[in-house]
Amino acid sequence: QILSVRPSPAPGIDFEYVIHNADGGEVEQCGNGARCFVRYVREHGLTTKDALRVQTLSGVIEPRLGADGRVTVNMGAPVFDLARVPFDAAGLRPQAAGSWQKWPLALDGDAQEAIKYVAILSMGNPHAVQLVDDAETAPVLELGPLIEHHARFPNRVNAGFMQVLGRSRVALRVYERGAGETLACGTGACAAVVAGIRLGLLDARVDVQTRGGDLTIEWAGIEAAVLMTGPASMVFEGEIEIADNP
């Protein structure tokens, strides 16, 4: 992804940042990007604040740099209204689970074995989370593209594959919209934990194990904001020359 740092667009906002995925598309939100954003603006002297208010395409987020170098981001409250995700549920019958429900997605015709049940929500961007027995062996590369481009998601969707390891720990892989499988997805971790809590499987504070490292996600329940905490570190620095459009 490319994150563009822009000046404050309004009073009470410190910065704006714009997110583009590998396919060139602009997206609404990026949890991992938010943590990197804070480290970048601090280390480049663009601010001396530890807590920021940052405008994204999906709204304002509030990242905070901790004394231990980890960054906590207030990601806002999850969205469950299917029309706002957006997801077309016309003609579908959900499967009740916990205090919530999962929705059937037919991935290859109407054969039962091709129907996957997913929890659907938005963390500023759309997510479909399914439970798997083993995240490492889950068919992420096979099913991820089918879910991402499913016709019931008009804006496409991020596909999460979550293995519950206990009430306070999960393993997660995410096939991201416009990027494919990534080492970690911050909003995907938030969406997975929220889904797990609503399905009755997880407690309010959960460590999420990804291939890129661990994140801690906290959610107190309906209408509460999701808090994501994790590291951000400099990997390399360089310059790129972008030609003007003709």
Side-chain angles (χ1 to χ4, degrees):
Q1 290 178 322
I2 294 179
L3 310 179
S4 302
V5 181
R6 300 189 180 182
S8 168
I13 303 297
D14 295 295
F15 295 97
E16 178 181 18
Y17 90 99
V18 177
I19 309 154
H20 287 90
N21 273 343
D23 66 355
E26 184 178 353
V27 293
E28 305 92 338
Q29 186 59 279
C30 175
N32 290 335
R35 300 198 317 277
C36 294
F37 183 92
V38 174
R39 291 298 299 265
Y40 181 88
V41 296
R42 278 295 304 270
E43 292 179 4
H44 284 75
L46 301 179
T47 184
T48 59
K49 294 182 177 180
D50 289 332
L52 301 174
R53 286 175 53 81
V54 180
Q55 180 72 51
T56 71
L57 187 61
S58 67
V60 176
I61 59 171
E62 299 178 354
R64 176 184 295 272
L65 179 63
D68 61 356
R70 283 161 57 92
V71 179
T72 296
V73 185
N74 180 331
M75 298 293 292
V79 173
F80 303 111
D81 180 357
L82 296 179
R84 293 175 58 197
V85 172
F87 174 70
D88 177 12
L92 297 182
R93 179 176 297 178
Q95 180 185 82
S99 62
W100 203 23
Q101 67 276 319
K102 296 185 288 185
W103 292 88
L105 284 184
L107 300 182
D108 185 18
D110 294 326
Q112 184 63 37
E113 60 271 16
I115 295 177
K116 300 298 179 182
Y117 280 84
V118 295
I120 296 170
L121 68 155
S122 172
M123 284 302 311
N125 54 357
H127 289 270
V129 181
Q130 66 176 285
L131 299 173
V132 297
D133 293 331
D134 186 338
E136 278 302 310
T137 60
V140 175
L141 298 182
E142 292 77 18
L143 297 186
L146 300 178
I147 297 172
E148 177 195 358
H149 294 280
H150 199 284
R152 289 190 177 272
F153 295 99
N155 295 340
R156 296 185 293 163
V157 72
N158 300 288
F161 298 77
M162 177 175 67
Q163 176 188 0
V164 176
L165 302 173
R167 292 198 63 85
S168 62
R169 189 167 184 84
V170 301
L172 179 70
R173 292 169 64 188
V174 179
Y175 193 93
E176 292 196 45
R177 179 182 56 165
E181 185 180 8
T182 56
L183 293 177
C185 176
T187 58
C190 294
V193 169
V194 168
I197 292 172
R198 291 211 65 187
L199 294 172
L201 303 173
L202 300 175
D203 293 332
R205 179 185 172 96
V206 178
D207 291 327
V208 180
Q209 172 187 315
T210 75
R211 289 182 167 183
D214 285 9
L215 296 171
T216 300
I217 308 298
E218 300 172 76
W219 186 55
I222 302 297
E223 297 186 359
V226 180
L227 300 180
M228 174 190 64
T229 301
S233 58
M234 178 71 73
V235 177
F236 65 87
E237 189 168 4
E239 296 181 359
I240 183 172
E241 183 175 329
I242 301 176
D244 293 335
N245 290 328

